[in-house]
């Protein structure tokens, strides 16, 4: 029996779409799969609207068709405006996504409630080993009688797991086997039909200085290559390099067709990954979706100071490469490094393609293996139930 029925999720859109992408998926899943009423507090509704077209960017408070209530917030919101948004309904669980700082008025309100809410900081995704030992640890507030728990997503059962809606595998399988569903997606995105043996790449990336040589190599392959480029910095960079792309949004060079895509709803973005043969993804949310797509992927990390992102890449690689057959680990690792370290792409790419069949098989295996684990929303609900039923000082 669910005792903690009202959840507030706070999201601050710092940069790009990863923060709101994750929060929106979590809010949606909790609302539709559990007896939970979710309020999603977002400080940048125009960004939210880009991945969810139903959002009205100027409406401070709105309920979406799936039942999630969306509220616009800012760090400086006053106690009076907060009370209006709360509408006499305090949350049992408060999720602060990625360490976004809650408005002071909201924290003050938490201390006044008859029963203190369970305060959870949903952390960034990492495969580093320390994550397992920090997952679910409490941290007392330095001044107030409040305590916050750190909840870490991750790839092992000792972490909070990965976001995965119920029935996702079946949905993906149906899409990949359906003659109709991919056609509807292609029509919506303006992608014209491709020959059966076309290699379809989705290029969702930050940037890479050695692109031109690689695109030339793609143009010279012995079969057609379709490169689909979602809107964003990478598409902008391509437009600067190849101004001819601007006219129609696509260009043909030898075997290569390069096509820019309009910004998609999150559901369309997911389907695009299900359709492509190789997905170039970035950040954390698209990485997870590429894993679920069950197709080969190349991950580009958001750059951090002192190369911290390379530690993250290596930690993930250590887990991902286990049980890879033959020379796949060498060639795939070489290409991932080249993609993340601005190195030459052509040779590693040509070598990697010789292992495409075993790469595909490994991607399927990883999808299967990760799907066996409990998902993040379920783990979070279980965690909350334990803490909520047991006394506040209970530690797992
Ligand atoms: O946008 P990102 O680069 O976000 C990153 C990461 O979250 C990283 O952790 C963070 O520190 C950094 O930003 C600042 O990549 P990510 O995480 O893959 O999120 C992209 C989201 O945008 C994902 O939910 C899919 C969605 N999306 C669409 O819905 N439609 C689109 O057309 C595109 C291109 C993306």
């Amino acid at each position: 029996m669910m005792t903690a029925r009202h959840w507030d999720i706070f999201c601050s859109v710092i940069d790009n779409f990863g923060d709101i992408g994750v929060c929106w998926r979590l809010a949606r899943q909790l609302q539709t799969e559990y007896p939970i009423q979710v309020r999603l507090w977002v400080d940048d509704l125009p960004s939210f609207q880009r991945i969810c077209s139903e959002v009205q960017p100027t409406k401070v408070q709105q309920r979406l068709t799936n039942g999630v209530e969306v509220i616009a917030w800012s760090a400086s919101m006053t106690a009076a405006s907060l009370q209006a948004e709360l509408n006499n309904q305090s949350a049992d669980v408060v999720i602060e996504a990625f360490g976004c700082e809650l408005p002071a008025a909201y924290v003050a309100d938490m201390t006044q409630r008859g029963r203190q809410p369970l305060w959870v900081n949903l952390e960034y995704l990492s495969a580093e080993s320390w994550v397992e030992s920090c997952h679910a640890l409490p941290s007392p507030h330095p001044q107030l009688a409040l305590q916050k728990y750190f909840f870490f997503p991750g790839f092992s059962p000792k972490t909070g797991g990965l976001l995965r809606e119920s029935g996702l595998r079946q949905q993906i399988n149906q899409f990949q086997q359906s003659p109709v569903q991919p056609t509807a997606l292609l029509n919506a995105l303006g992608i014209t039909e491709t020959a059966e043996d076309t290699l379809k790449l989705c290029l969702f990336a930050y940037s890479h200085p050695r692109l031109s040589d690689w695109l030339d190599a793609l143009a010279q392959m012995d079969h057609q290559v379709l490169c689909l480029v979602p809107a964003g910095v990478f598409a902008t960079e391509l437009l600067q390099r190849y101004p001819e792309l601007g006219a129609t949004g696509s260009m043909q060079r030898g075997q290569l067709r390069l096509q820019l895509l309009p910004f998609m709803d999150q559901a369309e973005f997911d389907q695009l990954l299900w359709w492509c043969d190789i997905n170039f993804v970035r950040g954390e949310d698209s990485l997870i979706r590429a894993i679920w797509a069950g197709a080969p992927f190349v991950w580009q990390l958001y750059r951090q100071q002192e190369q911290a992102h390379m530690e993250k890449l290596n930690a993930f690689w250590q887990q991902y490469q286990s049980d890879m057959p033959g020379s796949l680990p060498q060639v795939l690792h070489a290409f991932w490094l080249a993609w993340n370290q601005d190195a030459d792409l052509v040779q590693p790419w040509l070598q990697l393609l010789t292992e495409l069949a075993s790469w595909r098989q490994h991607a399927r295996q990883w999808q299967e293996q990760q799907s066996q684990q409990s998902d993040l929303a379920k783990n979070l609900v279980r965690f909350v139930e334990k803490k909520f039923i047991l006394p506040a000082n209970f530690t797992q």
Side-chain angles (χ1 to χ4, degrees):
M1 222 260 300
M2 193 76 204
T3 45
R5 287 175 171 276
H6 295 274
W7 293 38
D8 277 344
I9 301 178
F10 277 83
C11 174
S12 175
V13 179
I14 307 284
D15 198 2
N16 302 323
F17 293 93
D19 306 296
I20 186 60
V22 169
C23 292
W24 173 224
R25 288 191 199 280
L26 176 63
R28 210 166 47 198
Q29 190 181 353
L30 289 170
Q31 177 76 37
T32 50
E33 296 181 17
Y34 296 91
I36 293 175
Q37 176 57 55
V38 180
R39 272 188 306 217
L40 177 56
W41 301 67
V42 182
D43 67 353
D44 177 355
L45 292 184
S47 288
F48 187 14
Q49 191 207 21
R50 294 199 77 193
I51 64 166
C52 172
S53 51
E54 192 191 341
V55 170
Q56 296 181 47
T58 52
K59 208 167 171 191
V60 175
Q61 202 160 0
Q62 55 197 296
R63 191 178 292 278
L64 303 182
T65 41
N66 62 13
V68 171
E69 194 180 342
V70 175
I71 301 181
W73 71 283
S74 73
S76 59
M77 72 194 302
T78 61
S81 68
L82 176 75
Q83 287 312 323
E85 313 307 356
L86 286 175
N87 197 15
N88 289 327
Q89 183 58 67
S90 300
D92 305 309
V93 181
V94 180
I95 299 184
E96 166 188 289
F98 311 118
C100 73
E101 233 173 272
L102 299 182
Y106 189 94
V107 176
D109 183 78
M110 288 206 292
T111 62
Q112 306 299 314
R113 299 180 193 170
R115 173 168 194 166
Q116 279 178 15
L118 190 72
W119 185 1
V120 177
N121 182 6
L122 176 64
E123 280 289 347
Y124 285 104
L125 173 67
S126 173
E128 289 163 290
S129 53
W130 57 265
V131 163
E132 289 185 350
S133 51
C134 294
H135 172 59
L137 286 187
S139 157
H141 192 283
Q143 286 97 36
L144 305 169
L146 289 172
Q147 143 148 293
K148 173 155 71 175
Y149 289 89
F150 291 92
F151 200 89
F152 282 86
F155 304 92
S156 80
K158 290 184 181 164
T159 67
L162 302 177
L163 277 173
R164 190 186 70 243
E165 306 87 79
S166 120
L168 183 66
R169 276 290 293 286
Q170 293 91 309
Q171 217 187 326
I172 296 173
N173 288 342
Q174 267 173 18
F175 178 93
Q176 290 174 336
Q177 284 154 23
S178 159
V180 188
Q181 291 186 39
T183 310
L185 174 76
L186 304 189
N187 289 342
L189 299 181
I191 302 168
T192 44
E193 277 300 336
T194 54
E196 186 80 353
D197 66 344
T198 301
L199 184 69
K200 296 164 295 189
L201 310 184
C202 168
L203 283 185
F204 182 47
Y206 295 116
S207 70
H208 199 289
R210 315 282 292 266
L211 266 188
S212 309
D213 293 347
W214 182 58
L215 293 176
D216 288 346
L218 294 180
Q220 286 162 26
M221 288 186 64
D222 56 9
H223 51 76
Q224 288 183 35
V225 181
L226 173 64
C227 272
L228 297 168
V229 186
V233 282
F234 196 74
T236 310
E237 198 175 302
L238 281 177
L239 270 170
Q240 281 161 2
R241 272 170 206 240
Y242 307 102
E244 63 267 41
L245 251 182
T248 59
S250 92
M251 68 182 221
Q252 184 80 36
R253 251 195 199 195
Q255 297 281 38
L256 169 68
R257 180 146 59 95
L258 204 53
Q259 181 167 350
L260 305 182
L261 298 179
F263 205 91
M264 295 160 273
D265 235 55
Q266 212 177 31
E268 286 178 332
F269 177 83
D270 290 354
Q271 289 190 344
L272 180 70
L273 302 186
W274 305 346
W275 185 68
C276 285
D277 296 304
I278 303 177
N279 290 310
F280 286 69
V281 287
R282 66 180 212 195
E284 65 179 76
D285 188 57
S286 53
L287 166 69
I288 300 168
R289 301 322 278 192
I291 292 170
W292 298 142
F297 63 85
V298 177
W299 184 29
Q300 189 175 39
L301 287 87
Y302 188 74
R303 280 182 193 222
Q304 289 174 304
Q305 283 174 350
E306 293 168 14
Q307 300 284 305
H309 60 287
M310 290 310 291
E311 277 171 40
K312 276 190 166 188
L313 178 68
N314 290 337
F316 178 66
W317 173 256
Q318 289 313 320
Q319 296 202 23
Y320 188 67
Q321 54 109 47
S322 107
D323 294 336
M324 264 186 198
S327 59
L328 180 61
Q330 289 79 34
V331 296
L332 184 55
H333 195 217
F335 191 78
W336 278 21
L337 289 180
W339 192 248
N340 279 281
Q341 292 181 319
D342 299 346
D344 169 56
L345 296 167
V346 177
Q347 282 316 312
W349 173 252
L350 295 175
Q351 282 173 346
L352 179 55
L353 284 189
T354 63
E355 294 291 334
L356 184 55
S358 54
W359 192 11
R360 282 192 164 125
Q361 204 181 347
H362 185 74
R364 281 271 166 212
Q365 267 167 23
W366 236 68
Q367 177 201 39
E368 172 65 33
Q369 180 199 319
Q370 285 294 316
S371 301
Q372 300 302 321
Q373 297 193 33
S374 178
D375 68 86
L376 188 137
K378 188 180 282 168
N379 291 336
L380 198 51
V381 167
R382 280 191 194 140
F383 175 76
V384 165
E385 282 295 274
K386 260 189 205 158
K387 300 283 180 215
F388 222 73
I389 292 165
L390 296 165
N393 59 2
F394 168 82
T395 46
Q396 192 161 246

